[in-house]
Amino acid sequence: MNGGGDPGWQGGWRAGLPELLAREWDVLVVGGGITGAGILLEAARRGLRALLVEGRDFAWGTSSRSSKLVHGGLRYLAQGHVKLTREAVREREALLRDAPGLVEPQRFAFPDYGASRRKRRTMLAGLALYDLFAGRRERHWQDAGAFALLAPNVARAGLAGGIVYLDAKTDDARLVLRTLLEARRHGAAAVNYLTVRSLLKEGDKVTGAVLRDDAGGAGLFEVRARLVIDAGGAWAGQLATGGPRLRPLRGSHLLLPSWRLPLAQAISLMHPGDGRPVFAFPWEGATLVGTTDVDHRDGLALEAAITRPELDYLLQALQAQFPELGLGEEDVIATYAGVRPVVDSGTGDAPSKLGREHAIWCGKGLVSVTGGKLTTFRAIALDVLRQAKRQLPGWNDALAPCTIYAPVALPAAPRRMPAPLLRRLAGRHGPQAQALVDAAQDGELEQIPGTDTLWAELRWAARAEAVEHLDDLLLRRTRIGLLLRGGGAGHMERIRAICQAELGWNDARWEGEQAAYAALWVRHYSLPRAAQDSEPA
């Protein structure tokens, strides 16, 4: 069982698509989010011939719209989900070890205004377990004076002190791309904009899928595989019935300029309206604020977007916690909303009370998975492959956890660059980081103002990362569509100068893509135009 590899993501990579899809595969993974990417990697490194297809772009769904946190989940521990929290903490530690520059430590500060000594004791007891799971021991309580130094902008009235603890953060879309890149290093193939039209069957057994090429216009393909794995996240279960009922939940977020909400630590707080946790932390040169947790009733065919009640809810939390900053909606650079694939408990619980465990169900020739957390993607992948073993005779891997990504040396730059910047490039781009630096032209190893992104990352994404549309480039390969006002409209002339030739687009194609991107950004990433829903956030 040898993967053989795909024809690559660089120029002309779709030219070899018919030959690629004509191969016999052990595993066909449907879904290009973090769950599917993790399954592809774990299958490929264990000798299976593995192909992943995604109907839209890699990380298009939940995996580019998460809260960007790699964390154990203190609130899940408070709800009694000890196993999930232990697993998540251990996976967080593995990612911090194996993905430096992509998964980075983030210290959180939680202000305490003396409302409940019992709640404080409960949280400190939970953090003691957190430390035990991670194999470390830390001091978590800070008195009012020490806490005010850590978080100088928080409200001071009634401040009794605060709790500090360590978690981690990431660029979720880049985490998907890095995982796919590592899978390709082990011989796997991954193709975006390939939609599953139907499953192939022999009797009642799934034997592959009929795929439609939505980017290259090459038509329909029949792909044969010993096993199909449905890893569609919130969209899972559409290939076959019989799985658990899903309850799609929307989480919406805000991006603010770092100078308007400057934070050295992440701030975690309880919302003044309903007591739910809300957070703000430094991310990619801006400040990210989240999250809401509401039932998503708009269907899954279109991109989710924040509603006016959700915007008001998050601003209310910021205004209560940082009263002296005078924050308002005019300070918001961009918004985004993602749909979480949560398994419905059937109890009618509030969204924030639902667990985040994953669920797996099987048919003949088909395994489906949904639910889970960004942090636990490797553990989910291994659980899926344990189920897959029953349908892959002759494959007997022990499925012990491996190092997630192979170590990568820092790239050598033509001019002196800060070590954290080189570490960032190595983390996000893995073994391609040196080629990215080498491809940079004059001035492109500088950061785009207001972001941590280099201009050279745009060039490399356009050249080598399967970009089919402008929103792939600006919302997922890089995140400047979230980090710059108007989705980067003020820099579009330079973006075009760097990327148009790399993409091979003529003027008409570029102008059409730019217009489509601008309209998409206004609909789904800007402030909501007017009150749309009456649901609470």
Side-chain angles (χ1 to χ4, degrees):
M1 299 180 183
N2 188 340
D6 68 9
W9 283 349
Q10 301 203 27
W13 68 280
R14 274 189 179 266
L17 192 60
E19 294 78 12
L20 178 76
L21 299 181
R23 299 178 190 174
E24 291 287 334
W25 300 95
D26 294 313
V27 173
L28 171 63
V29 180
V30 180
I34 191 59
T35 299
I39 293 168
L40 186 76
L41 171 56
E42 296 302 332
R45 72 175 3 140
R46 289 168 166 83
L48 293 175
R49 297 168 298 178
L51 166 68
L52 179 145
V53 298
E54 163 57 46
R56 300 196 190 231
D57 187 29
F58 302 125
W60 179 88
T62 312
S63 294
S64 62
R65 306 158 198 263
S66 76
S67 295
K68 323 302 184 196
L69 296 176
V70 175
H71 65 122
L74 275 176
R75 71 184 179 95
Y76 308 137
L77 187 60
Q79 294 166 1
H81 301 290
V82 176
K83 180 181 177 182
L84 174 65
T85 305
R86 180 175 61 245
E87 180 178 72
V89 168
R90 291 175 176 174
E91 290 301 302
R92 180 198 69 191
E93 294 299 295
L95 283 162
L96 283 168
R97 179 194 67 224
D98 296 344
L102 175 57
V103 178
E104 292 286 275
Q106 177 61 64
R107 190 161 295 279
F108 277 74
F110 186 91
D112 185 333
Y113 293 94
S116 171
R117 291 181 180 272
R118 179 182 177 185
K119 184 177 291 186
R120 181 195 304 174
R121 288 194 298 268
T122 299
M123 190 168 182
L124 289 171
L127 285 168
L129 267 179
Y130 228 48
D131 289 348
L132 181 65
F133 297 156
R136 64 161 61 100
R137 192 171 184 177
E138 295 186 352
R139 178 173 178 265
H140 297 290
W141 176 254
Q142 302 284 336
D143 64 25
F147 189 86
L149 292 175
L150 290 172
N153 291 309
V154 301
R156 299 292 184 90
L159 182 67
I163 292 170
V164 295
Y165 60 94
L166 186 69
D167 260 320
K169 62 185 175 183
T170 191
D171 178 335
D172 49 359
R174 291 307 316 183
L175 186 69
V176 173
L177 267 291
R178 178 72 191 276
T179 305
L180 292 175
L181 183 63
E182 188 75 4
R184 290 179 61 239
R185 195 178 68 84
H186 289 280
V191 187
N192 54 354
Y193 295 101
L194 274 180
T195 303
V196 175
R197 293 293 302 273
S198 61
L199 294 176
L200 297 174
K201 292 187 176 181
E202 293 179 3
D204 60 351
K205 183 179 186 299
V206 174
T207 59
V210 177
L211 307 178
R212 183 185 66 210
D213 178 10
D214 289 335
L220 298 177
F221 299 90
E222 290 190 358
V223 176
R224 303 284 174 176
R226 298 171 66 197
L227 182 68
V228 174
I229 298 177
D230 178 6
W235 294 261
Q238 296 182 1
L239 300 184
T241 59
R245 180 183 174 185
L246 293 184
R247 186 174 169 184
L249 301 178
R250 185 174 64 250
S252 294
H253 305 76
L254 313 177
L255 276 298
L256 282 74
S258 58
W259 64 268
R260 280 298 283 134
L261 183 51
L263 297 175
Q265 315 282 330
I267 302 296
S268 184
L269 60 126
M270 307 308 287
H271 194 281
D274 60 8
R276 278 189 61 257
V278 177
F279 56 78
F281 66 94
W283 183 75
E284 289 293 294
T287 299
L288 191 154
V289 180
T291 176
T292 61
D293 205 358
V294 300
D295 286 297
H296 182 70
R297 299 187 175 94
D298 296 337
L300 298 174
L302 299 176
E303 295 195 38
I306 194 172
T307 61
R308 174 61 58 172
E310 289 175 289
L311 172 65
D312 293 341
Y313 177 88
L314 293 173
L315 287 175
Q316 182 186 9
L318 291 179
Q319 291 158 357
Q321 186 63 77
F322 307 102
E324 294 184 2
L325 295 182
L327 298 169
E329 64 180 75
E330 66 278 3
D331 295 309
V332 176
I333 297 171
T335 69
Y336 70 91
V339 180
R340 305 180 182 105
V342 176
V343 177
D344 193 351
S345 66
T347 62
D349 287 339
S352 60
K353 300 295 184 183
L354 295 176
R356 296 300 192 260
E357 291 88 354
H358 61 278
I360 301 171
W361 64 103
C362 302
K364 294 183 178 179
L366 178 67
V367 176
S368 301
V369 59
T370 192
K373 290 159 49 66
L374 179 77
T375 308
T376 57
F377 74 89
R378 178 178 64 165
I380 295 170
L382 294 176
D383 278 354
V384 169
L385 292 177
R386 289 183 188 103
Q387 297 296 323
K389 282 177 69 172
R390 303 173 185 177
Q391 302 196 54
L392 293 170
W395 181 64
N396 296 302
D397 194 278
L399 293 173
C402 302
T403 300
I404 301 172
Y405 307 123
V408 177
L410 297 184
R415 64 175 181 82
R416 186 173 180 82
M417 294 176 66
L421 191 55
L422 295 174
R423 173 184 165 106
R424 179 184 183 278
L425 290 175
R428 281 161 172 73
H429 300 277
Q432 293 186 338
Q434 186 63 61
L436 182 156
V437 170
D438 294 343
Q441 297 187 10
D442 289 347
E444 291 181 1
L445 292 177
E446 298 173 359
Q447 291 175 319
I448 300 171
T451 81
D452 290 342
T453 306
L454 303 185
W455 292 103
E457 293 181 79
L458 286 166
R459 180 177 298 281
W460 184 254
R463 177 181 298 185
E465 291 188 337
V467 169
E468 294 292 337
H469 296 289
L470 193 57
D471 59 295
D472 302 341
L473 177 71
L474 301 181
L475 293 173
R476 288 173 290 278
R477 302 304 182 275
T478 70
R479 315 314 297 272
I480 63 176
L482 299 177
L483 299 168
L484 300 176
R485 290 193 180 275
H491 294 283
M492 201 59 71
E493 183 176 345
R494 185 168 183 186
I495 294 169
R496 182 175 185 172
I498 292 171
C499 297
Q500 183 175 350
E502 297 284 0
L503 290 165
W505 294 352
N506 60 26
D507 288 345
R509 172 72 187 274
W510 180 275
E511 289 158 10
E513 289 284 345
Q514 187 171 327
Y517 168 71
L520 173 76
W521 193 91
V522 168
R523 288 195 307 271
H524 299 287
Y525 296 90
S526 65
L527 293 171
R529 294 292 183 177
Q532 300 173 36
D533 296 306
S534 58
E535 64 188 3

